[in-house]
Amino acid sequence: MDNLPAFKDVAASERANLFVRKLRLCAVICDFSEGSGNDREKEIKRQTLLELVDYVNSAKQPFAEHIMPEVVSMVSANIFRPLPTRSRDAPFDPEEDEPILEAAWPHLHIVYEFFLRFVVSGSTEAKVARKYIDTTLITRFLELFDSEDPRERDYLKTILHRIYGKFMPHRAFIRKAISNVFYRFIYETERHNGVAELLEILGSIINGFALPLKVHLHSTVHGRLGNPVC
């Protein structure tokens, strides 16, 4: 893994291409297991991720559509991975057990920060980006709420709420997908690490509804979730 030039060191006309090259560099996953080494590569990626955050924060023009799949590809490569699992005989008890923290957090938290900044950026046009930040990605995103790491769930909560606010065509799907998580929690798994965060998102969504609630929204909130979640 080699360092790429800083954005300030290239002509303005070349920065979009450099942005894509940096995204592709950051799609390479580093091994954070104990004794894995590769400290130089890890630092290069960390610094590059920080540069990507700064680039998005300072963007003045709309992002071109061809960079959207590159953004989604980089974010997906980093955040979508098998979550650590425990034995069914000894499930995680947040009151008694220490959570399993993500070893790759030095990179992962910057990836989440980048994705958050990209979603909320005025340079990210919702009509274009929603084709890539789609229902398939949102479904996989919701699965990550079962992470034991509270730092990760906090980012997931914030980002999903921002996606809900920006991409109006996805709103009904997000409400239904969240209710499905609760439905499985109540009637099937009886455990899920992200219930509190998802309830917080749903509560915020409900507070934004105009009264009276439409029939299908009332059904989602009360009929499917019911009292057992409370």
Side-chain angles (χ1 to χ4, degrees):
M1 185 181 291
D2 295 321
N3 260 321
L4 293 172
F7 286 110
K8 64 182 177 61
D9 294 334
V10 301
S13 60
E14 291 298 317
R15 287 173 188 165
N17 289 333
L18 181 59
F19 182 52
V20 170
R21 291 173 63 198
K22 288 179 183 287
L23 286 168
R24 291 176 179 173
L25 182 150
C26 291
V28 177
I29 305 304
C30 296
D31 182 3
F32 277 85
S33 59
E34 189 173 349
S36 60
N38 299 319
D39 291 344
R40 176 179 174 276
E41 288 80 0
K42 290 173 184 174
E43 182 59 19
I44 288 173
K45 179 173 175 178
R46 190 185 74 84
Q47 289 293 340
T48 305
L49 284 167
L50 291 171
E51 289 177 34
L52 291 175
V53 173
D54 288 341
Y55 183 84
V56 169
N57 280 340
S58 61
K60 304 298 183 186
Q61 300 296 323
F63 293 119
E65 183 168 356
H66 76 271
I67 72 140
M68 301 292 177
E70 300 284 353
V71 168
V72 169
S73 178
M74 186 280 282
V75 171
S76 297
N78 282 275
I79 70 174
F80 296 137
R81 79 278 180 207
L83 296 175
T85 57
R86 294 176 186 259
S87 167
R88 279 186 163 274
D89 299 328
F92 173 58
D93 181 351
E95 300 296 327
E96 300 289 339
D97 302 325
E98 288 294 322
I100 300 174
L101 299 179
E102 176 53 56
W105 192 247
H107 287 173
L108 195 60
H109 86 276
I110 312 176
V111 174
Y112 278 126
E113 184 67 25
F114 166 80
F115 193 36
L116 173 61
R117 298 298 174 183
F118 183 78
V119 168
V120 303
S121 173
S123 295
T124 301
E125 296 182 323
K127 285 185 178 181
V128 178
R130 76 184 186 212
K131 292 186 286 185
Y132 304 95
I133 302 175
D134 58 9
T135 55
T136 299
L137 183 141
I138 291 167
T139 298
R140 297 182 70 192
F141 198 78
L142 275 165
E143 292 171 358
L144 295 172
F145 275 85
D146 204 20
S147 169
E148 288 188 18
D149 195 326
R151 303 168 301 179
E152 180 167 21
R153 296 198 307 272
D154 194 54
Y155 261 115
L156 293 166
K157 175 187 69 177
T158 302
I159 293 169
L160 185 62
H161 198 193
R162 294 295 190 172
I163 289 173
Y164 184 90
K166 184 155 189 164
F167 302 104
M168 292 184 65
H170 293 338
R171 289 183 180 181
F173 176 85
I174 292 172
R175 292 194 301 268
K176 183 177 180 181
I178 292 175
S179 73
N180 285 339
V181 173
F182 288 129
Y183 195 77
R184 288 194 300 272
F185 165 69
I186 295 167
Y187 295 108
E188 297 175 17
T189 65
E190 297 184 351
R191 63 164 300 280
H192 193 286
N193 295 316
V195 166
E197 288 81 8
L198 290 170
L199 279 172
E200 191 173 338
I201 294 170
L202 198 60
S204 181
I205 290 171
I206 292 168
N207 286 337
F209 286 152
L211 294 175
L213 290 179
K214 293 180 180 178
V215 172
H216 75 280
L217 296 179
H218 189 279
S219 175
T220 297
V221 174
H222 295 290
R224 295 202 63 186
L225 300 186
N227 295 325
V229 189
C230 300

